[in-house]
């Protein structure tokens, strides 16, 4: 289905409707004293005072690492096209393979396009791309679009029993156009409500990211001063105003005033005393707090902390790179891959015959020894049925096929049962056997 409405004129800025960026539910009542009241007016400030948005969140190293890890991992996975034949499936050459694996459009390679869309899913709740089609309805290109420049609305229905459809309005500095949902790849995040998904940074890690932002800024200010706390100078007797000003000027010239008045000492006279002005980094548990925020952010994104650089805590996904990689693919990438597959199959094919599926074999493979044992069992052997051919294994290792390598191994003789331990053991001769044998010889 082609676009329902297209207008290339430059719209009046007053007519442009910007999508809302908020974590308020539909028809939710918010008190004027609620911190979320600021979100109604476009302010994403958290309880810590930091503004959490996709831009500010990506300045936090833990968020950047988690988003780039998930998006980069998905972008690496090949997406072959299959055809169903009876009870089997066959990989086929299809025009869509180039678009999904090599180039979305002239401005987008497939890898960068998938990274962008997955990043939008994690940061904004939805990854949206416009499907370019020819007159026959076949896909000719994919155009990723920033989420904040897409308005998603439900189309009108004649009855509440009728399934609703979505329409998408794309706009940029050149104009806008509106299309039906059939011409859009909409990759939602967790919690899709029929219109949009839930953003991780606005739901799962909003306050955690806000604390991390404030912690980064505080740490930067603290260490920019050499890690020295604010100080107070106690005078043994009264100092006049002129003497105090002269002392402060000399102090600032010597030690500087990098952070405004923080480096200018407080002068106490007439026996006044003060115990402490600021806490040290150790007393504030600054390092421990920042470490905990990394774990909290990793939990919200579903990423094991050790995969974004937090190695102080042991992982519960088993030991060894193989076990960790399998857990990451199953529990972190799996839900994202399933939602992407469903959207591609229902928007691109609309038939039972063809479908796409991510190939995760590269991530699930272990070391050379483990792979050798796995392929040895897959090829089969004496008394064991194989489930892969030699050429299938060679194809996975990017090796050319060989003649006769497409025959599945079938054992010609079933494996014999293992002999019983008692019957297999050699019998020790006793005295009666020895006497019987001697009598026979005579």
């Amino acid at each position: 289905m082609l676009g329902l409405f297209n207008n290339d004129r430059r719209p009046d800025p007053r007519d442009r409707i910007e999508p809302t960026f908020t974590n308020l539910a539909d028809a939710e009542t918010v008190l004027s004293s609620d911190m979320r009241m600021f979100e109604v007016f476009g302010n994403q400030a958290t309880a810590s005072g930091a503004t959490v948005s996709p831009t500010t969140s990506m300045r936090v190293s833990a968020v950047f690492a988690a988003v780039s890890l998930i998006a980069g991992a998905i972008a690496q996975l090949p997406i072959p096209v299959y055809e169903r034949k009876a009870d089997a499936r066959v990989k086929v050459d299809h025009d869509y393979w180039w678009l999904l694996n090599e180039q979305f459009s002239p401005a987008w390679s497939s890898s960068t396009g998938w990274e962008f869309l997955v990043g939008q899913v994690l940061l904004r709740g939805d990854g949206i791309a416009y499907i370019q089609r020819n007159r026959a309805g076949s896909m000719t290109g994919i155009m990723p679009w920033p989420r904040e420049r897409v308005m998603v609305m439900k189309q009108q229905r004649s009855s509440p029993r009728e399934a609703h459809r979505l329409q998408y309005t794309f706009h940029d500095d050149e104009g806008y156009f509106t299309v039906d949902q059939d011409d859009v790849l909409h990759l939602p995040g967790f919690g899709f409500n029929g219109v949009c998904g839930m953003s991780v940074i606005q739901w799962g890690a909003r306050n955690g990211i806000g604390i991390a932002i404030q912690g980064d800024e505080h740490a930067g200010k603290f260490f920019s001063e050499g890690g020295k706390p604010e100080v107070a100078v106690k005078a043994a007797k009264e100092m006049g105003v002129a003497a105090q000003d002269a002392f402060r000027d000399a102090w600032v010239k010597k030690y500087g005033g990098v952070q405004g008045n923080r480096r200018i000492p407080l002068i106490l006279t007439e026996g006044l005393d003060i115990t402490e002005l600021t806490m040290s980094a150790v007393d504030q548990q600054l390092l421990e707090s920042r470490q905990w925020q990394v774990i909290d952010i990793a939990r919200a994104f579903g990423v094991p902390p050790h995969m974004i650089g937090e190695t102080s805590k042991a992982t519960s996904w088993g030991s060894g790179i193989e076990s960790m990689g399998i857990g990451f693919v199953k529990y972190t990438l799996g839900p994202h891959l399933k939602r992407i597959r469903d959207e591609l199959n229902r928007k691109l094919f609309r038939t039972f015959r063809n479908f796409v599926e991510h190939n995760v074999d590269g991530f699930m493979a272990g070391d050379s020894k483990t792979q050798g044992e796995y392929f040895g069992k897959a090829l089969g052997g004496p008394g064991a049925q194989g489930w892969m051919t030699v050429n299938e294994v060679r194809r996975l290792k990017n090796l050319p096929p060989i003649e006769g390598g497409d025959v599945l191994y079938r054992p010609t003789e079933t494996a014999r049962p293992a002999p019983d331990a008692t019957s297999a053991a050699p019998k020790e001769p006793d005295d009666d056997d020895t006497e019987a044998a001697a009598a026979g010889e005579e």
Side-chain angles (χ1 to χ4, degrees), residues 374-413:
Y374 172 80
F375 288 140
K377 294 179 180 179
L379 292 173
Q385 172 69 55
W387 67 84
M388 293 183 70
T389 65
V390 172
N391 282 342
E392 287 176 335
V393 175
R394 292 177 66 85
R395 190 179 301 115
L396 292 176
K397 304 304 292 182
N398 294 322
L399 296 174
I402 60 175
E403 185 178 355
D406 294 319
V407 179
L408 189 66
Y409 178 83
R410 297 181 181 275
T412 57
E413 182 181 358

Side-chain angles (χ1 to χ4, degrees), residues 73-74 76-80 82 89 325-326 328-330 333-338 341 357-366 396:
I74 293 177
Q76 292 183 62
L77 296 175
I79 310 178
Y82 295 96
R89 65 176 184 177
I326 293 175
F328 176 68
V329 173
K330 283 184 176 180
L333 300 186
H336 294 291
L337 298 180
K338 175 60 176 174
R341 280 200 308 271
E357 185 175 84
H358 293 86
N359 187 351
V360 299
D361 288 342
F363 286 167
M364 302 292 281
L396 292 176

Side-chain angles (χ1 to χ4, degrees), residues 349-376:
F349 300 108
R350 294 187 173 278
T351 176
F352 182 77
R353 181 177 180 181
N354 292 107
F355 67 98
V356 297
E357 185 175 84
H358 293 86
N359 187 351
V360 299
D361 288 342
F363 286 167
M364 302 292 281
D367 53 25
S368 300
K369 179 180 178 182
T370 305
Q371 287 190 51
E373 294 175 353
Y374 172 80
F375 288 140

Side-chain angles (χ1 to χ4, degrees), residues 46-57:
T46 61
S48 64
T51 299
V52 175
S53 68
T55 302
T56 59
S57 297

Side-chain angles (χ1 to χ4, degrees), residues 261-332:
N261 295 329
R262 288 199 62 188
R263 295 296 297 272
I264 301 177
L266 176 66
I267 300 176
L268 306 175
T269 64
E270 296 293 335
L272 295 177
D273 195 5
I274 189 168
T275 57
E276 187 176 18
L277 291 178
T278 58
M279 295 185 294
S280 65
V282 176
D283 294 333
Q284 297 177 74
Q285 294 185 331
L286 179 61
L287 300 180
E288 290 82 355
S289 175
R290 299 187 68 193
Q291 182 182 47
W292 170 251
Q293 291 312 127
V294 173
I295 299 174
D296 189 38
I297 292 172
R299 178 168 52 244
F301 281 96
V303 174
H306 71 274
M307 298 191 76
I308 59 173
E310 175 49 54
T311 58
S312 62
K313 303 296 182 181
T315 176
S316 59
W317 285 4
S319 59
I321 298 300
E322 180 182 4
S323 298
M324 297 177 186
I326 293 175
F328 176 68
V329 173
K330 283 184 176 180
Y331 307 119
T332 301

Side-chain angles (χ1 to χ4, degrees), residues 120-136:
Q120 293 283 290
V121 171
L122 298 173
L123 297 174
R124 296 187 178 274
D126 304 274
I128 297 179
Y130 170 59
I131 303 175
Q132 296 175 300
R133 300 184 186 273
N134 57 21
R135 292 184 179 274

